Amino acid sequence: MMLPGLELKNPIMPASGCFGFGKEFAPFYDLSELGAVIMKAATGEQRFGNGTPRVAESASGMLNAIGLQNPGVDAIIEHEIPFLREYDVPVIANVAGSTVEEYVEVARKISRFVDALELNISCPNVKEGGVQFGTDPALAKHVTEAVVQVSQVPVYVKLSPNVTDIVQLAKAVEEAGASGLSMINTLTGMRIDPKTRKPIIANQVGGLSGAAIKPVAVRMVYQVYEAVDIPIIGMGGIETVDDVIEFLLAGASAVAIGSANFKNPLVCKEIIEELPQALRSYGFTSVEDVIGGAHRETATTGVLRT
Amino acid sequence: MKREWMTIIEHEPIARNTFRLVLQGTIANDVREPGQFVHIQVSNDFYLRRPVSIAEVDREEGKMTLLYKLMGKGTEELSNKHVGDTIDVLGPAGSGFPLDEIDSNHALLIGGGIGVPPLYQLAKQLHEKGVPVTSVLGFQSKEEAFFTKEFEEYGDVRVVTNDGTLGHRGLVTDVLEGSFDTYFACGPTAMLRAVSEKLDGMQGYLSMEERMGCGIGACLACVVPANDEKGYRRICCDGPVFDAKEVVLS
Ligand SMILES: Cc1cc2nc3c(=O)[nH]c(=O)nc-3n(C[C@H](O)[C@H](O)[C@H](O)COP(=O)(O)OP(=O)(O)OC[C@H]3O[C@@H](n4cnc5c(N)ncnc54)[C@H](O)[C@@H]3O)c2cc1C
Ligand SMILES: Cc1cc2nc3c(=O)[nH]c(=O)nc-3n(C[C@H](O)[C@H](O)[C@H](O)COP(=O)(O)O)c2cc1C
Ligand code: FES
């Protein structure tokens, strides 16, 4: 299947920040089996990220505040992308920054080496930048326009769920020239340890991911699908092949799997293998057949597909 | 490193809230060094795996022993598993104590609480190499103490408890005197800092703890600042064992 800039063998890809730059997962399976790989965020300079602890478990999910730690765009181009390029898999670069200039610099440099960009205007874990670009439609539009202008490859904008009206944001970045959307990033949250009486995560707040956010993500994909004409990469709490189908029915054209890779490093490969059978069992003939299906379904009674 | 359903072949309490768990499976064949750990998915209800050190390994028989203390939901649920059950294990993870590089005339091992387990396999292998071993084992109290007899098989043991109910009353740093040339320490960061300050100048190795996400080096949840250009290390894969000069303890 084809999405802007991406020729996908299947609609499954690991989500940004949960797969590093691929090296750590290569011992577990052949990365060429993936639909695509979304790399960890790149910023203009090296960043060391937040203090530790950076993760905390919660019911059906986890909080993280890594803080965009990465070796910087030049080091990623030199040391990380060549490794992924040895595999027969499209590579998407996650572009982050604190200023429009930084986003533009990273996008200009890295876009020549990858198949698409995922513009991260939604990272809740850095004080400077990231999330305010993702919560203000005018700012989101502005940074998207600037990045689209310098990028040599299609730009997918990664939306934050920490907003009142996600449709407004989605429309703003579509207008700005985004080729696609990816959604959702994590929801801001906090956990406090009764023993220490303090937040568990050093950064105090972190981003909630995992099964706990899946219904929120599905709802947002469903709403945005009705409002835009660009494809959506859906994510948030996917752990099983049924979760994938749920996102496709809501309107995603492909999906990304994040924290579930921590539970099971083989999860992407396993879901890819299970997908054809699952599609058949629900009466679909192809992935395309599923996309947005929930918006078209007219059967009034429970369908007898099993 | 691989993921495997390992079989529980022994599981018993050995001290207050502390258990000995013996697992069978091929991950045990892959263990390279003492100080490596496994990442356990206690059940599918947990989002994060629990890191637990390999306290003893029999590579030929494909068996390994873990010693763990109840600290919260994950370890509590682990303690309810029975002999014959299988559990989802990722491992062997991390880099352990670099035994091949170590040339010591008398090694000092320092463990605090749940930092004691990885030192057991280390004591055994140092002993097999002919290195004299002195082990300093710190616990909160007598009820919490474990494996003090087992360590005696491989050298001198100095037991320390916070309340004095067993051995010396005080902290592990009270009893570090002796003519040692290399030390190996595992325990809470505060203890590691105190030990490394006290033994400043001696060749030392520290095994560190941090909350983990992936446990395989991909997510950068488990970093510790380092004294070089790179600026950080990942405890789950560059460690958990580091040269004491390599990392910055906060
Ligand atoms: C490399 C390494 C080796 C370890 N070896 C042992 C061992 O041999 N025996 C043993 O008893 N314990 C060991 N620990 C500590 C053990 O991982 C924690 O006690 C355990 O994860 C607590 O889980 P819980 O669900 O019971 O506690 P909870 O407090 O409910 O756990 C909540 C979350 O915090 C994490 N967490 C809590 N305490 C720690 C900690 N000290 N270190 C890392 N993560 C923590 C848990 O993994 C989980 O993700 C080791 C830790 C590390 C990093
Ligand atoms: C540890 C961790 C690090 C992350 N890092 C990034 C990042 O660098 N850039 C980004 O756009 N999203 C990042 N995310 C968000 C994920 O890509 C994903 O949008 C989110 O976790 C929801 O998916 P999930 O529930 O499958 O994890 C990170 C998530 C986690 C758990
Ligand atoms: S726990 Fe993910 S890098 Fe160490």
Side-chain angles (χ1 to χ4, degrees):
Chain A
M1 56 186 294
M2 290 294 299
L3 289 184
L6 307 170
E7 198 181 328
L8 303 175
K9 290 188 209 87
N10 61 66
I12 316 287
M13 51 189 96
S16 181
C18 301
F19 208 72
F21 298 98
K23 271 181 201 147
E24 291 79 16
F25 286 83
F28 290 96
Y29 59 91
D30 180 0
L31 304 185
S32 305
E33 292 181 33
L34 292 165
V37 171
I38 310 180
M39 297 193 293
K40 185 165 178 52
T43 54
E45 303 294 330
Q46 177 176 27
R47 285 208 197 185
F48 291 113
N50 296 324
T52 55
R54 292 176 169 187
V55 292
E57 198 176 45
S58 62
S60 301
M62 61 176 282
L63 293 170
N64 90 83
I66 308 295
L68 293 182
Q69 177 162 10
N70 79 98
V73 62
D74 295 325
I76 292 172
I77 291 168
E78 190 178 344
H79 302 299
E80 307 292 351
I81 295 178
F83 172 81
L84 279 172
R85 281 303 182 200
E86 285 169 27
Y87 295 89
D88 174 26
V89 66
V91 175
I92 303 174
N94 185 272
V95 171
S98 310
T99 59
V100 176
E101 292 72 37
E102 186 178 3
Y103 278 109
V104 165
E105 180 206 345
V106 175
R108 178 188 291 125
K109 283 182 173 169
I110 209 164
S111 67
R112 288 188 289 128
F113 300 93
V114 295
D115 301 291
L117 300 186
E118 182 183 54
L119 183 59
N120 180 3
I121 55 166
S122 46
C123 181
N125 296 327
V126 282
K127 289 193 186 67
E128 289 277 297
V131 80
Q132 87 263 25
F133 287 104
T135 52
D136 177 338
L139 274 178
K141 190 172 173 202
H142 176 53
V143 69
T144 304
E145 272 167 358
V147 165
V148 166
Q149 206 159 45
V150 297
S151 177
Q152 319 230 345
V153 291
V155 176
Y156 293 73
V157 178
K158 184 157 180 180
L159 300 183
S160 169
N162 302 305
V163 295
T164 318
D165 182 4
I166 193 144
V167 169
Q168 211 188 349
L169 266 298
K171 283 177 156 167
V173 301
E174 181 184 38
E175 245 174 69
S179 301
L181 298 170
S182 101
M183 55 191 289
I184 57 174
N185 209 316
T186 53
L187 280 151
T188 44
M190 182 186 281
R191 279 210 55 204
I192 297 173
D193 184 346
K195 283 182 267 176
T196 62
R197 306 177 183 184
K198 288 191 292 208
I200 294 176
I201 291 196
N203 187 54
Q204 307 204 317
V205 296
L208 179 64
S209 61
I213 70 169
K214 198 188 80 178
V216 178
V218 170
R219 181 267 290 178
M220 289 184 161
V221 169
Y222 187 94
Q223 287 178 320
V224 167
Y225 177 82
E226 301 210 317
V228 300
D229 293 320
I230 49 180
I232 299 168
I233 301 173
M235 69 197 78
I238 296 176
E239 285 185 45
T240 65
V241 71
D242 278 16
D243 296 337
V244 172
I245 291 175
E246 199 173 340
F247 271 87
L248 297 178
L249 284 169
S253 295
V255 298
I257 301 177
S259 5
N261 288 289
F262 303 166
K263 284 176 107 167
N264 173 13
L266 292 151
V267 67
C268 290
K269 176 194 163 68
E270 288 175 5
I271 289 181
I272 288 166
E273 284 166 1
E274 290 164 14
L275 186 59
Q277 170 60 34
L279 290 175
R280 271 195 300 279
S281 75
Y282 289 114
F284 298 109
T285 50
S286 68
V287 170
E288 286 84 348
D289 198 17
V290 195
I291 300 168
H295 302 263
R296 299 186 295 268
E297 192 54 56
T298 51
T300 48
T301 53
V303 194
L304 293 175
R305 301 171 193 133
T306 52
Chain B
M1 174 142 61
K2 63 181 161 217
R3 176 183 187 229
E4 181 181 25
W5 289 85
M6 296 186 84
T7 306
I8 298 176
I9 54 176
E10 290 176 55
H11 198 181
E12 53 169 8
I14 54 166
R16 181 159 75 200
N17 294 338
T18 310
F19 292 80
R20 175 175 167 272
L21 174 70
V22 184
L23 299 176
Q24 177 118 46
T26 63
I27 286 176
N29 309 126
D30 300 342
V31 176
R32 292 185 315 274
E33 304 157 331
Q36 288 189 286
F37 66 97
V38 288
H39 223 38
I40 297 181
Q41 177 68 344
V42 182
S43 83
N44 206 35
D45 295 337
F46 293 94
Y47 239 81
L48 298 175
R49 289 173 177 262
R50 269 52 177 172
V52 184
S53 302
I54 300 168
E56 195 181 5
V57 64
D58 183 336
R59 289 184 197 79
E60 265 98 84
E61 297 280 315
K63 287 199 294 203
M64 63 174 153
T65 303
L66 314 180
L67 306 174
Y68 69 91
K69 187 166 177 179
L70 302 187
M71 296 299 290
K73 282 195 192 132
T75 45
E76 257 154 43
E77 190 160 330
L78 184 60
S79 73
N80 295 329
K81 306 257 177 193
H82 302 289
V83 169
D85 290 351
T86 56
I87 49 172
D88 175 353
V89 181
L90 197 60
S95 331
F97 298 101
L99 262 187
D100 295 340
E101 292 170 19
I102 288 158
D103 180 22
S104 169
N105 291 317
H106 196 160
L108 176 62
L109 275 50
I110 308 147
I114 53 167
V116 168
L119 301 180
Y120 184 63
Q121 179 69 24
L122 176 68
K124 188 173 170 180
Q125 284 183 237
L126 284 169
H127 179 74
E128 282 164 8
K129 258 181 91 159
V131 178
V133 172
T134 294
S135 305
V136 174
L137 308 177
F139 302 98
Q140 270 161 12
S141 69
K142 186 179 176 193
E143 279 78 44
E144 251 104 341
F146 58 88
F147 264 51
T148 54
K149 289 275 169 305
E150 284 81 350
F151 271 86
E152 280 171 10
E153 282 183 44
Y154 306 120
D156 301 338
V157 175
R158 300 175 188 173
V159 178
V160 183
T161 50
N162 294 358
D163 63 359
T165 45
L166 188 69
H168 173 86
R169 173 189 184 141
L171 303 170
V172 291
T173 40
D174 300 342
V175 295
L176 303 181
E177 292 73 32
S179 54
F180 310 107
D181 53 21
T182 314
Y183 74 90
F184 302 87
C186 184
T189 308
M191 185 201 97
L192 297 180
R193 196 183 327 110
V195 166
S196 63
E197 279 166 12
K198 188 121 186 183
L199 300 179
D200 189 28
M202 194 190 295
Q203 175 62 46
Y205 297 91
L206 307 176
S207 180
M208 303 196 58
E209 280 180 8
E210 189 47 82
R211 287 179 184 242
M212 293 185 181
C214 66
I216 63 172
C219 76
L220 303 183
C222 65
V223 299
V224 54
N227 282 314
D228 61 6
E229 208 179 298
K230 192 178 176 202
Y232 73 94
R233 296 284 184 279
R234 296 163 297 182
I235 290 175
C236 69
C237 58
D238 304 320
V241 176
F242 299 97
D243 190 309
K245 292 186 289 295
E246 196 179 350
V247 287
V248 184
L249 303 178
S250 55

